[in-house]
Amino acid sequence: MTDRAWFDAAKGDIPQWAASMPKDADGTTIDWDWVRSLDLAHGVGTIPESTPQSIHDALKADYATRERLESIIAQCNSAFMTDFDRFIGSYRLPRALAYANRRLNDNINTLLHLGEQQHLWAVSRERRGRATIAVLKPYSGSGPSNDDQGMLDLSGEAGGTSAGNTAAENSDVKFPTTVALDDVQDRTAAILDARAERRKAQRFQKRAGDAAMARANLSGAISPGGAALPGGAAASGNATGHHPKPDWRDAYLPGRDVDAVMGIDIETTGIDPARDYIIDVGFEFMNMASPRPAGEPETYAYEQGYYAAGDAYGQSRLAFGVPPENAALGNALIAKLTGIDVRGRSSEAGYRLFDEWPQAQAGLLARLTQQPYVAHNATFEHSWFMLNVAGYAESYRAGRITIIDTLPMSRQWDPGAVPTNEHPYGDNTLDAYAKRQGALDSAHNERHLGLEDSHIMLVAMKHHLAALKAQGKGPWGSTGRAGVGGKSCGRKR
């Protein structure tokens, strides 16, 4: 199969998805014929002429397309994982839609910067509810500082302007603001907030229904008003001490027999796997109980000279690129956080894109299925693998992947993770967890590179498990589990 042939194969899956998923995440009936008409491999964005109205119209059209695509992508995980009769055989269609959506998002950001350079608007990145969005405001001669993005240099020389200035200030093009802005505003935050409110209402309805059923079955005959059930809100809780409440993340806690694991961490150009790119992957292996395998090299040179390999082995660091359009825009926030400047990571500079590299995906999947993999806030990595790694979703659904998360280990089993006003659930960042577990010196901070962060995570996990075992707590406590633990589909515990 050629590099692009999988897009045709993905479209061939549309009948399966149409039969199982008639509506998107916003309850809108999906036009699968429209999906079939999209050129996923070569782009679904609009390339305009350089006139104010053309730029405006292209941005409006791209926003509309992105909203339709993302509402479909957002529903795919639920449809795939609850397809118990296995009508849907493959997850390649959502991966293909996400591939196209990333390039569409680059096109949108290019249009936003082009509009700035032609003085059609000023762009500011603002946090609104659950998302950071691009807010367009009338150009007033000096636009706002934007630390989240680099600047697009239309001369073709990326990086020609500083991240502290607007593109409009660096352009000799003087167009008047002649386009409306109301119909080209980013609606992402409003869409996500509305979606969350619908889910909240559905959960409330379910709880109310469950409570009504319980009253009818258990207490209705002697207490028409419905008595409080044992273990309910009135009977639970402890007024003293720090007793974290169980939550859904506890499914990712390790069991008392966990041993060989692979720790992994990824760095990306943003937080949305349907819009952004994987640019750095680091992983290594460590045994939590048994000795380190004989014959493995005893030393490894991490970027941080004060890191010692210790029990770690099989270290690997992988660098990936971004499309030229994304590189031209730059990303000052990610450069500051990780030290990775995407302006030098263009595919034209020789960097391979992870979502265009089947061999890299296959190699990573092989490692992810060999033993449990560990990540800190593992649902982040999981969401990216679902939309980037061929075969991952299918392997996960089939129970061939086990995920362990050190975040709930910090939250549930680390007495140092006490709630504060700043951290209502305790400070459970990797930086804080690693320092409390002696994996990171207090004088240094988390590096935000895949391999280095994987290393301190595994060292912290091993230290933590050893302490818990000695104390008879955590996996060895009354609520601990036998086996390796972690989250795995279709496996009885």
Side-chain angles (χ1 to χ4, degrees):
M1 182 175 286
T2 64
D3 289 345
R4 301 295 181 180
W6 75 278
F7 291 101
D8 293 331
K11 285 189 177 182
D13 297 337
I14 286 178
Q16 303 169 17
W17 285 93
S20 301
M21 197 176 87
K23 294 187 177 182
D24 63 24
D26 299 314
T28 302
T29 298
I30 298 172
D31 183 351
W32 287 107
D33 288 333
W34 174 77
V35 176
R36 191 178 286 107
S37 72
L38 297 174
D39 187 352
L40 301 177
H42 300 100
V44 296
T46 304
I47 307 300
E49 299 176 0
S50 290
T51 64
Q53 194 60 46
S54 296
I55 295 170
H56 166 278
D57 293 347
L59 181 59
K60 181 178 179 180
D62 281 0
Y63 270 149
T65 299
R66 190 177 72 177
E67 288 176 9
R68 293 179 74 178
L69 276 177
E70 291 185 347
S71 63
I72 295 172
I73 295 169
Q75 188 63 20
C76 287
N77 181 72
S78 177
F80 188 74
M81 296 307 299
T82 58
D83 177 29
F84 302 114
D85 293 322
R86 298 299 188 261
F87 291 124
I88 306 172
S90 171
Y91 207 70
R92 58 192 163 198
L93 180 62
R95 287 194 299 108
L97 297 179
Y99 176 97
N101 196 69
R102 292 183 199 106
R103 279 74 184 166
L104 173 63
N105 197 59
D106 291 343
N107 202 64
I108 287 172
N109 285 325
T110 299
L111 291 171
L112 290 172
H113 282 291
L114 185 59
E116 276 194 302
Q117 288 195 324
Q118 297 199 4
H119 298 178
L120 306 182
W121 49 63
V123 181
S124 63
R125 306 276 171 173
E126 300 179 12
R127 187 72 184 179
R128 300 281 180 88
R130 290 167 172 79
T132 298
I133 64 172
V135 179
L136 303 190
K137 300 176 181 178
Y139 174 70
S140 61
S142 59
S145 174
N146 179 5
D147 291 334
D148 288 344
Q149 296 285 337
M151 292 297 121
L152 177 62
D153 182 351
L154 291 186
S155 69
E157 299 178 1
T161 60
S162 67
N165 298 324
T166 65
E169 292 173 321
N170 294 281
S171 173
D172 293 328
V173 183
K174 303 298 181 184
F175 284 91
T177 303
T178 58
V179 296
L181 300 184
D182 289 347
D183 59 348
V184 286
Q185 296 291 354
D186 188 347
R187 300 194 321 122
T188 301
I191 291 171
L192 294 180
D193 287 346
R195 197 176 292 166
E197 286 301 314
R198 285 194 297 273
R199 289 196 300 265
K200 182 179 177 181
Q202 290 168 355
R203 288 195 298 269
F204 178 81
Q205 273 189 326
K206 184 180 185 303
R207 285 196 297 268
D210 291 346
M213 184 66 71
R215 286 195 298 270
N217 290 342
L218 302 178
S219 61
I222 59 173
S223 178
L229 299 176
S236 65
N238 190 328
T240 62
H242 171 45
H243 301 284
K245 295 181 180 179
D247 69 12
W248 59 270
R249 295 179 184 85
D250 294 352
Y252 295 86
L253 288 168
R256 64 179 67 102
D257 300 318
V258 66
D259 189 15
V261 297
M262 183 182 87
I264 190 166
D265 182 75
I266 63 175
E267 302 301 331
T268 62
T269 59
I271 63 172
D272 190 337
R275 292 187 184 182
D276 302 306
Y277 299 90
I278 294 174
I279 53 176
D280 182 76
V281 177
F283 59 83
E284 67 179 26
F285 299 84
M286 189 176 289
N287 296 350
M288 296 292 116
S290 64
R292 186 174 179 275
E296 293 286 346
E298 296 183 359
T299 59
Y300 183 87
Y302 297 91
E303 184 190 87
Q304 267 51 20
Y306 48 86
Y307 283 8
D311 295 330
Y313 59 96
Q315 296 92 339
S316 186
R317 185 196 309 275
L318 308 172
F320 301 101
V322 297
E325 296 79 8
N326 188 282
L329 293 169
N331 195 318
L333 179 64
I334 296 304
K336 181 179 180 180
L337 182 67
T338 68
I340 300 173
D341 189 343
V342 298
R343 293 176 297 179
R345 287 285 185 97
S346 169
S347 57
E348 292 180 340
Y351 281 86
R352 296 285 297 271
L353 276 66
F354 184 74
D355 64 359
E356 292 183 352
W357 198 345
Q359 293 83 358
Q361 297 169 34
L364 181 58
L365 179 63
R367 289 165 174 80
L368 293 171
T369 55
Q370 285 175 354
Q371 69 293 295
Y373 80 80
V374 183
H376 195 80
N377 190 21
T379 53
F380 180 81
E381 274 76 12
H382 173 71
S383 67
W384 284 81
F385 296 157
M386 288 286 287
L387 289 177
N388 279 273
V389 179
Y392 177 89
E394 296 86 344
S395 295
Y396 178 71
R397 189 175 69 173
R400 293 192 291 270
I401 290 175
T402 299
I403 310 171
I404 294 174
D405 194 341
T406 51
L407 180 109
M409 287 183 64
S410 174
R411 183 172 178 175
Q412 297 291 356
W413 296 339
D414 188 340
V418 295
T420 64
N421 289 335
E422 185 179 0
H423 300 284
Y425 300 100
D427 189 349
N428 299 302
T429 62
L430 176 57
D431 184 86
Y433 175 64
K435 286 176 179 175
R436 289 196 300 267
Q437 297 303 324
L440 185 63
D441 189 278
S442 60
H444 300 99
N445 294 319
E446 174 188 357
R447 176 58 183 85
H448 292 291
L449 279 179
L451 180 57
E452 280 68 25
D453 290 356
S454 295
H455 183 65
I456 62 171
M457 174 187 67
L458 289 184
V459 173
M461 178 181 175
K462 188 161 187 172
H463 289 178
H464 196 187
L465 286 175
L468 291 169
K469 185 175 183 179
Q471 298 164 6
K473 297 180 179 180
W476 295 272
S478 60
T479 60
R481 292 184 290 169
V484 300
K487 178 75 164 60
S488 182
C489 293
R491 189 182 72 210
K492 294 181 179 180
R493 296 181 174 84

